[in-house]
Amino acid sequence: MNTLTKKSLLFLAISLTLFLGTGKVCAQYGSTIDNSIYDNLPFDMPKVVQPSFPNYEVSIVAFGAKKGGKALNTKAINDAIKAVNAKGGGHVIIPEGLWLTGPIELLSNVNLHLQKNSLVLFTDDFEAYPIIETSFEGLETRRCQSPIWARGAENIAITGYGVFDGAGDSWRPVKKEKMTANQWSKLLKSGGVTDKPGKIWYPTAGSLKGAMACKNFNVPEGINTDAEWNEIRPWLRPVLLSIVKSKRVLLEGVTFKNSPSWCLHPLSCEDITINNVKVFNPWYSQNGDALDLESCKNALIINSIFDAGDDAICIKSGKDEDGRRRGEPCQNVIVKNNQVLHGHGGFVVGSEMSGGVKNVYVADCTFMGTDVGLRFKSTRGRGGVVENIYIENINMINIPNEPLLFDLFYGGKGPGEETEEDRIANTKNDMPPVTVETPAFRNIHISKINCKGAGRAMFFNGLPEMPIENVTVKEVVITDAAEGVVISQANNVILENILIETKKGGPALQIKSSKNITVDGKPYKQLNSKGIQLNFK
């Protein structure tokens, strides 16, 4: 071996040693999106701009971070981010190991990169999370600061291979009905308190007090002073990741799990890419949505896996007056090549959609055991328009409720939790005047859907004063369903090439208070009462 080669190898070995020790070797991390994803879109959409970063890196170890799960690394991680931001941008490296931390704030031009076998565990100390003004479930309120958060940032990313664990079990209430007797017994012995009926466990008395102060879903009312807010701090469960009013955002490769409430919540962001991530919340987790994309513009949700305790991939735009006042629709969204393992809905729009939702394309997704497959929900008081939604090539198995559901009488309960009284109330025929508070769902196109194992095959439940309008459903096969298709308060619905097979028999298609329903090109009034043209078996 000649001297030059020996020197070269020695230099390489020293460089690698420095990299492993300090993480200062230069590299470029970023997402490369195949532009074919934009081919043949049914609406005009600009390409989502990807972030890019200077070829500069630092390790959190250089700022005093210590692995092992004992030392709290909040300051070290945030100092590293601040330093890279001040330098003009680059990468903050979280190496292999277990890292305990409090909230992490992302700043512009920083890519937080997790190396293989890195596990970031957020502390379960409630006091580590300041109470801040924010938005939750579409309403302006106060919540604890999120474990990962950014506000008004540009050109940011979280990439790599590691895991973020939000310590959600320390925050979340738990319903007795969702646990086995043994699990419930162990939970009670761990501490905490229950409500008077003994049906819901809360981690602290303050958490229970916060729950009792909520009349509008999970937003407390009548809590005024800082002392009162501080008392219910454990109830103010943060979303694991909150990115607000930011541009050119990338989440890629990493795993997010065990959130106190929703897991990923981009709000009022532009040019956001979620690619090849994994999101896991326990199936029993209250408000344990996987992803809530709210009032965002130009977004990709691709190649990812979601397993949720509530809705999985959910599109939102604010709630009631707060959402209408914000006036930011969620628009220009591609949802493609994703898998959902559990959730109240595989792909969901609403119920907080008061700012509107438009131009959404969903394709090539698989739902396995979600309570509902494709779920559209809202209620009177929301306002907002949902339109230009295109869905195709979805495969599902073991959907206990509807593979396709439109419910504009949504009352907050999860699928399957409704009583018979709820069902009756949710099909009432009173007709209030149409106002700014009336939600509208229209121009929705669904095709190439396959589902084996379902409850009711489809349910359209529109409002008498604002029926669901202009929906096409084509090339659908639903087998082993408990019931057929029910269409109520919907106009201009086209059904083509649909096969429904039910276990019990009964009508394949029931139409209630709807107009202009066509099946395979024929007006429904020409069909017999059993809707035989649906190839019902």
Side-chain angles (χ1 to χ4, degrees):
M1 184 179 291
N2 61 48
T3 303
L4 180 60
T5 302
K6 289 180 180 178
K7 288 181 179 179
S8 298
L9 289 174
L10 178 61
F11 175 77
L12 177 61
I14 293 172
S15 298
L16 287 173
T17 301
L18 288 172
F19 169 71
L20 293 173
T22 67
K24 291 185 179 179
V25 72
C26 290
Q28 183 73 23
Y29 305 107
S31 183
T32 302
I33 301 299
D34 186 347
N35 286 332
S36 66
I37 197 170
Y38 301 100
D39 292 348
N40 302 315
L41 282 180
F43 48 81
D44 292 331
M45 173 175 169
K47 293 179 181 177
V48 176
V49 181
Q50 299 299 311
S52 61
F53 304 91
N55 219 11
Y56 173 73
E57 295 181 0
V58 300
S59 169
I60 61 172
V61 175
F63 290 80
K66 296 180 180 179
K67 63 183 177 181
K70 289 187 177 180
L72 192 66
N73 294 295
T74 312
K75 185 176 186 302
I77 295 173
N78 284 293
D79 283 352
I81 292 172
K82 291 174 184 175
V84 172
N85 168 262
K87 185 77 174 179
H91 310 269
V92 172
I93 307 299
I94 298 183
E96 177 276 337
L98 171 58
W99 309 91
L100 180 66
T101 184
I104 296 171
E105 181 181 5
L106 287 174
L107 300 176
S108 295
N109 303 314
V110 175
N111 181 347
L112 184 63
H113 184 80
L114 278 65
Q115 292 184 338
K116 291 182 178 179
N117 200 26
S118 59
L119 171 56
V120 178
L121 175 64
F122 290 96
T123 178
D124 60 3
D125 177 7
F126 303 136
E127 298 297 325
Y129 302 90
I131 298 172
I132 63 171
E133 301 285 341
T134 187
S135 176
F136 183 64
E137 293 189 339
L139 297 176
E140 300 304 315
T141 184
R142 292 187 184 186
R143 306 292 290 184
C144 287
Q145 179 180 317
S146 289
I148 309 168
W149 69 293
R151 184 179 292 268
E154 293 191 18
N155 201 59
I156 58 176
I158 299 175
T159 64
Y161 310 92
V163 177
F164 290 100
D165 188 302
D169 287 322
S170 301
W171 295 81
R172 290 189 300 266
V174 178
K175 291 181 178 179
K176 182 179 180 179
E177 65 190 44
K178 294 189 175 183
M179 311 236 85
T180 65
N182 187 46
Q183 289 171 331
W184 182 251
S185 177
K186 287 183 178 180
L187 186 63
L188 295 181
K189 290 177 182 177
S190 71
V193 297
T194 64
D195 60 357
K196 287 184 178 179
K199 294 183 177 181
I200 304 178
W201 174 89
Y202 295 87
T204 69
S207 179
L208 173 58
K209 181 176 180 179
M212 295 301 100
C214 294
K215 297 178 182 178
N216 197 347
F217 288 74
N218 294 294
V219 175
E221 298 179 20
I223 305 297
N224 299 311
T225 68
D226 288 344
E228 289 174 323
W229 281 103
N230 190 59
E231 185 181 359
I232 67 167
R233 182 190 298 261
W235 173 251
L236 305 177
R237 297 173 291 143
V239 301
L240 175 57
L241 177 143
S242 173
I243 299 179
V244 183
K245 293 187 180 300
S246 298
K247 297 181 179 180
R248 302 194 307 283
V249 178
L250 171 66
L251 307 178
E252 185 171 69
V254 297
T255 297
F256 301 89
K257 67 179 292 288
N258 196 20
S259 173
S261 60
W262 295 352
C263 212
L264 307 182
H265 184 208
L267 170 63
S268 299
C269 293
E270 185 172 344
D271 289 316
I272 178 166
T273 300
I274 299 172
N275 180 31
N276 192 31
V277 302
K278 300 178 181 68
V279 181
F280 301 114
N281 262 353
W283 71 270
Y284 56 83
S285 57
Q286 295 297 111
N287 317 110
D289 297 22
L291 166 65
D292 291 280
L293 188 78
E294 183 172 356
S295 293
C296 291
K297 181 179 180 181
N298 303 337
L300 301 177
I301 303 168
I302 55 177
N303 309 318
S304 296
I305 297 175
F306 302 93
D307 192 345
D310 206 310
D311 291 327
I313 304 169
C314 195
I315 309 298
K316 298 180 180 290
S317 63
K319 183 176 180 181
D320 299 347
E321 185 179 354
D322 283 3
R324 296 192 298 272
R325 181 170 56 250
R326 183 198 297 157
E328 296 177 7
C330 202
Q331 60 184 319
N332 298 342
V333 181
I334 297 175
V335 180
K336 191 169 186 180
N337 194 30
N338 301 292
Q339 298 173 4
V340 179
L341 306 182
H342 188 274
H344 286 182
F347 171 78
V348 183
V349 176
S351 69
E352 304 95 281
M353 38 60 68
S354 300
V357 175
K358 62 183 179 181
N359 295 350
V360 179
Y361 177 65
V362 184
D364 306 333
C365 293
T366 304
F367 305 151
M368 295 169 282
T370 59
D371 293 344
V372 172
L374 303 169
R375 187 183 188 195
F376 297 83
K377 55 181 177 174
S378 188
T379 192
R380 288 167 174 160
R382 292 284 187 272
V385 177
V386 173
E387 61 185 347
N388 300 341
I389 312 297
Y390 302 84
I391 301 173
E392 65 179 359
N393 202 27
I394 309 296
N395 294 312
M396 316 181 205
I397 58 172
N398 303 327
I399 308 298
N401 296 285
E402 294 88 357
L404 172 57
L405 172 65
F406 292 87
D407 185 7
L408 272 68
F409 285 93
Y410 176 68
K413 292 186 177 181
E417 294 180 351
E418 294 176 333
T419 64
E420 188 59 32
E421 290 76 13
D422 292 329
R423 274 196 162 196
I424 293 171
N426 290 351
T427 55
K428 54 192 175 183
N429 291 315
D430 61 308
M431 192 178 296
V434 173
T435 69
V436 70
E437 297 183 354
T438 308
F441 284 66
R442 65 196 183 204
N443 302 335
I444 297 170
H445 308 281
I446 299 167
S447 64
K448 299 178 183 176
I449 308 297
N450 295 284
C451 178
K452 181 174 178 60
R456 182 166 39 190
M458 303 180 202
F459 185 32
F460 291 52
N461 191 25
L463 298 173
E465 69 274 21
M466 184 65 73
I468 302 160
E469 287 272 355
N470 300 332
V471 178
T472 60
V473 183
K474 300 181 178 181
E475 298 180 60
V476 173
V477 177
I478 299 174
T479 59
D480 294 332
E483 303 176 44
V485 177
V486 177
I487 297 179
S488 176
Q489 308 292 355
N491 296 339
N492 304 320
V493 177
I494 297 173
L495 306 176
E496 287 187 9
N497 194 19
I498 294 176
L499 169 64
I500 306 293
E501 293 183 353
T502 69
K503 302 173 185 177
K504 300 178 182 179
L509 175 60
Q510 299 180 65
I511 306 293
K512 304 176 181 179
S513 304
S514 300
K515 299 177 181 178
N516 299 328
I517 311 299
T518 63
V519 180
D520 292 335
K522 298 179 181 179
Y524 176 72
K525 64 182 180 180
Q526 296 180 7
L527 306 181
N528 63 45
S529 61
K530 291 186 177 181
I532 206 73
Q533 279 79 356
L534 286 179
N535 295 319
F536 170 66
K537 295 183 179 180

